[in-house]
Amino acid sequence: MKLPLCRLVWIDGSYVPLEQATIPITTHAMHYGTTIFEGVRAYWNGENLNVFRLDDHIRRFRRSGGFYGISLNHTDSEVSDAITGICRENKLRESCYVRPFYFVGNHGINLHVTPDAPTVMAAFAFPFGDLFEKGGISAVTSSWRKFSDASTPVQAKMGGNYLNSIIATGEAKKAGADEAILLDLSGNVSEAPGENIFAVIDGRLVTPTLASSALEGITRNTILEVARAAGIEAVEQDMTRAEMMSAQEVFLSGTAAEITPVTIIDSKRIGDGGGPGPVTREMMERYTDIVMGRAPEYADRWLTPVYGA
Ligand SMILES: Cc1ncc(COP(=O)(O)O)c(C=O)c1O
C-alpha cells in the first residue's frame, strides 16, 4: 500500500500528529499478534467523500475482537466518527484507504487475555488508488494451506492470522506472480491472502463457502447481492483447484483490491486468454457505479458521506 500517511492520526478519541503516535515496546500486540484491524475505503466522487459499507466494517471490527474476548472500548458511533473524522481532519478530498485498529496494550508477558485487558484504538488514512493492475493479474496456487477454524477463528480479522497471508504472498512474489491463491486444509480453493475469490464456472458465478476458511468479505457479500439483483446466478459452493483452473473467468474481491481480474493461474491462461471476461467486467462496472454513488438503490444503505453529513 502506498505511503505517505496523512499527517493526523486518531488515538482513543484524539487527533495527534503521526510522529507523536508511538507505542511502548512492551505492547502485548507486538509480541502476540493481538491486534484487530479493518481496511475501509472512502471514495471521492467530485462532490463528496463517501465511506463504503461503514456499518458492516464496524460490525466485523467489534466481532473480530469478540472471538478472543478482546474489548473495543469505543461505541459504534465513536468508531464511525473516528473513520469519517480522520478523513475530515486531514481534509481529504480524494479517494483513500482508512485503517482502524485496536490492540492489547500493556498486559505483560501474559497469554491470559481477558476483556479487561487494556486496549488502544487508533486509525490512520492515506490517499489510495488501485492495489493491483485492473487489466488482469497472475496468481499461483500456494504450497501453504489456509488455516482453519480448527486452529484459530478464521473470521477474526486479527494481526496474528495474517502470518499465513504473509508467507503465501512471499512465496507467490518469489515465483514472479502478483498474488497467491490458498487452498483450504481439504484441498479446495479458499481465498487469496487478502482477497476472496470468484470464478465463472459453466456460466454461474461461484465463490467458496465460508467452510473453506474464507473470510466473510464485505466486497464478497456486495458482489453476491449485486450479481443476483442483476440476474446473474451467484452461488457459494466448494470449488476444486481444477474447477478454478478451467473456469471461464476468475477474479479477486476485497476492499483494497476491489474487483481484480485474474488472467493467469499457475502459468495457465484463464478463459479465452483475452483478458477480463464479460461477467468480471460487468461486476467491475457495477461496483464502481455503487462506490461512486451512481447507483441510487445502494447509496443510502452503503455510502456514508464524510462532509456535510
Ligand atoms: C484474508 C482476507 N480475505 C478477504 C478479504 C476481503 O474482505 P473485504 O471485502 O471485507 O475487504 C480480506 C480483506 O479484508 C482479507 O484480509
Side-chain angles (χ1 to χ4, degrees), residues 43-48 50 52 285-300 302-303:
Y43 291 87
W44 176 251
N45 65 10
E47 288 173 7
N48 210 333
N50 291 308
F52 185 56
E285 274 166 32
R286 288 186 183 277
Y287 191 76
T288 304
D289 281 347
I290 290 167
V291 299
M292 286 300 175
R294 297 193 292 258
E297 65 275 35
Y298 296 108
D300 283 352
W302 286 348
L303 299 183

Side-chain angles (χ1 to χ4, degrees), residues 60 157 162 191-196 215 217-220 253-255:
R60 187 170 65 186
K157 204 164 157 52
Y162 280 79
E191 62 173 349
E195 301 87 29
N196 292 110
L215 184 76
I218 291 166
T219 320
R220 174 185 184 274
S253 73
T255 297

Side-chain angles (χ1 to χ4, degrees), residues 37-40 57 60 97 99 146-147 154 157 162 165 191-197 213-222 253-258 287:
F37 67 96
E38 274 297 317
V40 182
H57 281 286
R60 187 170 65 186
Y97 186 90
R99 165 55 54 86
K146 177 73 197 250
F147 64 91
V154 169
K157 204 164 157 52
Y162 280 79
S165 299
E191 62 173 349
E195 301 87 29
N196 292 110
I197 188 165
S213 303
L215 184 76
E216 191 170 11
I218 291 166
T219 320
R220 174 185 184 274
N221 171 277
T222 303
S253 73
T255 297
E258 300 167 308
Y287 191 76

Side-chain angles (χ1 to χ4, degrees), residues 95-117:
S95 294
C96 63
Y97 186 90
V98 183
R99 165 55 54 86
F101 59 111
Y102 58 108
F103 53 90
V104 179
N106 275 320
H107 190 55
I109 302 298
N110 186 357
L111 295 180
H112 188 203
V113 176
T114 51
D116 58 1

